[in-house]
Amino acid sequence: MEQETIVYYYPMPEDTARSDHRHAARRHWFADVVLPSRMAVKQEAFCVLGCGIPPYYYRRRPWKAQTLSAAMETVLGVAEGMTDTYVHPAVQALLTKEYCDRWLPRTGTIQMLGKHLLAEYAKEKLMHNGMVTVLLGHPADTDRQMEMTWELLKPYLSRVNRMQIYYEEIAGVDIQEELQEYLETYYYEYGLVPQFCKRREKCGGVILDYCERFQYPKIIPEGCVYIDLTSAGAKEQICKRKGLSIPYVSPLKYLDTVVKNSYDRKVI
């Protein structure tokens, strides 16, 4: 299988921009826009190319969405192998919806990073206590979320003995009937019977969160790892404010970490 290259576009910090003399992407009026990029990490299935977005387009002129998107396209065009992108929210804020939608990562890329995060941060806890919590997000996307959950957990399902699924209730919709095919697969292949829960019930173990916003069930912190597949960073802050000292990981946080570590010359 060809290795995938994830191009991660992130805001270049002011101090880094000054030290690299890249406060603006364009130094002279006649020059082309050039975005700096560098290899951040190589894994077996993928590598990460970090692309820093300087604070300004030219001198102190702010970025225009079309100019920035075109510059990002140039970096993506020269990346090797199969490519996909992740964009930091601060960079997304510089793009209008017309251009922002172009840079959304594929479902397969999110799943690939999710597998890496599970293996890196949650494997031992899954093997030890066998508990999984799934926080389903938008109902229109339930099938994709359930399919991804199956793919993420498949290497560990022989050790999973408890699965809780939290979902958004919709009048006239029987969630168990809607998901009957998935439920039968879990039961017949692994003897696992997922439980459907309301938000006020306690949960714990390895949490897979597909919600756009933090929908807070009562979390049991012992042995818990919070994997936020939507990369909504505000959830980490909410966990801290509620006094939950639990590991929080997400695809975006992982990418941010490996890019920062590459600048510090650390080996990931």
Side-chain angles (χ1 to χ4, degrees):
M1 181 183 294
E2 187 177 11
Q3 189 179 56
E4 180 170 327
T5 298
I6 301 172
V7 183
Y8 174 51
Y9 300 95
Y10 64 95
M12 183 181 290
E14 290 275 353
D15 55 348
T16 302
R18 284 194 297 270
S19 64
D20 289 353
H21 305 289
R22 293 306 304 255
H23 199 254
R26 186 174 179 177
R27 299 187 186 183
H28 304 286
W29 65 269
F30 54 81
D32 294 330
V33 175
V34 178
L35 295 176
S37 60
R38 61 186 295 170
M39 183 64 66
V41 69
K42 280 190 175 183
Q43 300 289 349
E44 183 177 350
F46 64 92
C47 62
V48 177
L49 185 69
C51 179
I53 307 298
Y56 302 101
Y57 156 60
Y58 172 57
R59 293 188 176 178
R60 293 281 174 170
R61 295 180 185 176
W63 285 98
K64 294 181 180 179
Q66 183 177 6
T67 303
L68 177 56
S69 185
M72 293 164 63
E73 195 75 57
T74 300
V75 176
L76 184 62
V78 298
E80 296 181 356
M82 294 171 45
T83 58
D84 200 9
T85 61
Y86 251 89
V87 182
H88 189 280
V91 176
Q92 286 181 334
L94 301 173
L95 299 167
T96 59
K97 189 178 188 305
E98 173 189 1
Y99 295 101
C100 199
D101 289 350
R102 159 70 181 87
W103 300 103
L104 295 176
R106 296 188 295 267
T107 295
T109 301
I110 299 172
Q111 181 174 296
M112 180 176 63
L113 288 172
K115 284 184 177 180
H116 179 75
L117 295 177
L118 269 170
E120 187 78 11
Y121 298 99
K123 180 179 179 179
E124 290 186 7
K125 295 187 186 305
L126 267 177
M127 302 297 279
H128 177 68
N129 62 26
M131 183 174 181
V132 175
T133 295
V134 181
L135 304 180
L136 293 178
H138 197 284
D141 208 22
T142 296
D143 275 341
R144 182 190 69 86
Q145 296 164 31
M146 291 297 293
E147 287 175 8
M148 187 181 297
T149 298
W150 172 262
E151 291 300 325
L152 292 177
L153 294 177
K154 192 156 49 175
Y156 314 103
L157 284 172
S158 62
R159 299 296 295 271
V160 173
N161 53 49
R162 186 179 180 188
M163 177 185 286
Q164 296 175 299
I165 300 176
Y166 291 76
Y167 65 100
E168 182 180 330
E169 292 185 84
I170 300 178
V173 175
D174 185 336
I175 188 67
Q176 296 196 49
E177 183 177 323
E178 291 285 316
L179 301 181
Q180 187 63 33
E181 182 179 346
Y182 297 102
L183 301 180
E184 289 179 353
T185 302
Y186 279 114
Y187 178 72
Y188 287 116
E189 294 198 21
Y190 293 97
L192 184 63
V193 181
Q195 298 174 306
F196 290 91
C197 306
K198 297 181 179 179
R199 299 287 175 185
R200 63 176 179 270
E201 297 180 24
K202 292 182 179 180
C203 72
V206 174
I207 298 175
L208 302 178
D209 188 357
Y210 295 95
C211 302
E212 292 182 4
R213 295 182 298 276
F214 190 88
Q215 299 188 31
Y216 179 75
K218 297 178 180 178
I219 296 175
I220 303 170
E222 289 75 21
C224 180
V225 176
Y226 198 114
I227 301 179
D228 177 17
L229 293 163
T230 65
S231 296
K235 296 176 185 176
E236 182 177 18
Q237 301 306 315
I238 293 172
C239 285
K240 289 179 179 178
R241 287 201 300 269
K242 292 182 178 290
L244 291 170
S245 57
I246 58 177
Y248 168 93
V249 293
S250 74
L252 188 68
K253 184 173 182 179
Y254 167 75
L255 295 174
D256 223 28
T257 299
V258 297
V259 166
K260 289 176 180 175
N261 285 350
S262 71
Y263 275 95
D264 293 336
R265 301 183 182 278
K266 293 180 180 177
V267 178
I268 306 301

